[in-house]
C-alpha cells in the first residue's frame, strides 16, 4: 500500500515572515548600538569600557603601593621585586593611570622609603607579614586575585581593552608564579 503524498502547505512561519522579522531585528539592534557608541554612553556618564579602564588603573596602582609596603618592610627583596613592581607601574600607565611613586629599582633603600611615603599619603599603610616568605606569598596571592578579576572582566569590554586586560592578566599570573617559585 503506497503512502499518500505530503501536504503542499508547510507548517510554521513563511519565508516572507522570517525575512521581515530578521530585517526588523537587525534594524533595531543597529539603531540602538549606533546611538550608544556615538556619544560614548548614555546620559553623559562614562561608558562601561571607560569604567573598566579606570578600575584596572586603580587596581594596578594599589598593587604597586602594596609592593612599596613590602619593599619598605623587607628591603632585602628590592632586587627581586623591583622589576615586578616596575611592570605593575607600566600596567597602571597602560590603563591611563599615573603612578604615584618612583620605581624602587633605581636606589632600593631611598626609593623604597620615598615610594612608601607617597603610598602612605594616599591611603593608610597595609600590614605586611613579618617574614619575607610570607610577604612574597601575600604579593603572589594579590597578583593572582587581580589576574583572575581581569580575566573575568575582559568578557564585558570591547576588543582593544579586552586584549590589554588579557595581556596584563597573563603578566599578573606570571608575576604570581615568579613570586612563589622559590618557595617550592
Amino acid at each position: 500500500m503506497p503512502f499518500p503524498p505530503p501536504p503542499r502547505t508547510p507548517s510554521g512561519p513563511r519565508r516572507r515572515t522570517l525575512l521581515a522579522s530578521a530585517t526588523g531585528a537587525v534594524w533595531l539592534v543597529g539603531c540602538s548600538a549606533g546611538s550608544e557608541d556615538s556619544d560614548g554612553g548614555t546620559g553623559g556618564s562614562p561608558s562601561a569600557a571607560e569604567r573598566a579602564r579606570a578600575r584596572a588603573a586603580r587596581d594596578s596602582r594599589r598593587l604597586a603601593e602594596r609592593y612599596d609596603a613590602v619593599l619598605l618592610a623587607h628591603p632585602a627583596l628590592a632586587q627581586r621585586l623591583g622589576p615586578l613592581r616596575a611592570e605593575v607601574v607600566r600596567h597602571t600607565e597602560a590603563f591611563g593611570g599615573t603612578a604615584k611613586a618612583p620605581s624602587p629599582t633605581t636606589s632600593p633603600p631611598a626609593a623604597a622609603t620615598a615610594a612608601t611615603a607617597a603610598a602612605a599619603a594616599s591611603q593608610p599603610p597595609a600590614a605586611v607579614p613579618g617574614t619575607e616568605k610570607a610577604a612574597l606569598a601575600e604579593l603572589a596571592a594579590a597578583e593572582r586575585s587581580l589576574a583572575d578579576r581581569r580575566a573575568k572582566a575582559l568578557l564585558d569590554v570591547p576588543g582593544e581593552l579586552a586584549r590589554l586586560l588579557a595581556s596584563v592578566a597573563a603578566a599578573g599570573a606570571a608575576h604570581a608564579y615568579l613570586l612563589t617559585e622559590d618557595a617550592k
Side-chain angles (χ1 to χ4, degrees):
M1 176 163 153
F3 290 107
R8 290 293 239 173
T9 54
S11 62
R14 293 184 153 177
R15 188 180 318 160
R16 229 179 283 163
T17 306
L18 287 174
L19 184 60
S21 299
T23 304
V26 168
W27 185 75
L28 285 173
V29 169
C31 288
S32 64
S35 65
E36 282 182 26
D37 291 342
S38 64
D39 69 355
T42 55
S45 66
S47 70
E50 291 169 347
R51 288 190 307 269
R53 185 178 292 275
R55 183 174 39 254
R58 183 181 61 244
D59 290 344
S60 289
R61 187 175 57 246
R62 287 181 182 158
L63 185 59
E65 292 169 353
R66 188 70 196 145
Y67 271 91
D68 292 339
V70 170
L71 285 169
L72 181 65
H74 304 287
L77 294 173
Q79 190 170 16
R80 181 175 180 186
L81 296 181
L84 299 177
R85 185 201 176 277
E87 285 293 318
V88 171
V89 169
R90 281 193 283 277
H91 297 161
T92 303
E93 294 165 353
F95 288 117
T98 56
K100 292 188 176 187
S103 173
T105 58
T106 55
S107 171
T113 305
T116 305
S122 65
Q123 68 184 41
V128 176
T131 66
E132 290 179 0
K133 187 175 181 178
L136 291 174
E138 187 211 44
L139 273 177
E143 286 273 14
R144 195 174 303 110
S145 172
L146 185 54
D148 290 345
R149 283 196 316 257
R150 286 180 172 157
K152 289 177 187 172
L154 64 88
L155 298 173
D156 301 327
V157 296
E160 190 61 34
L161 181 55
R163 285 186 286 277
L164 180 59
L165 278 172
S167 175
V168 173
H175 289 181
Y177 172 78
L178 291 172
L179 290 166
T180 58
E181 183 60 22
D182 285 344
K184 293 180 180 180

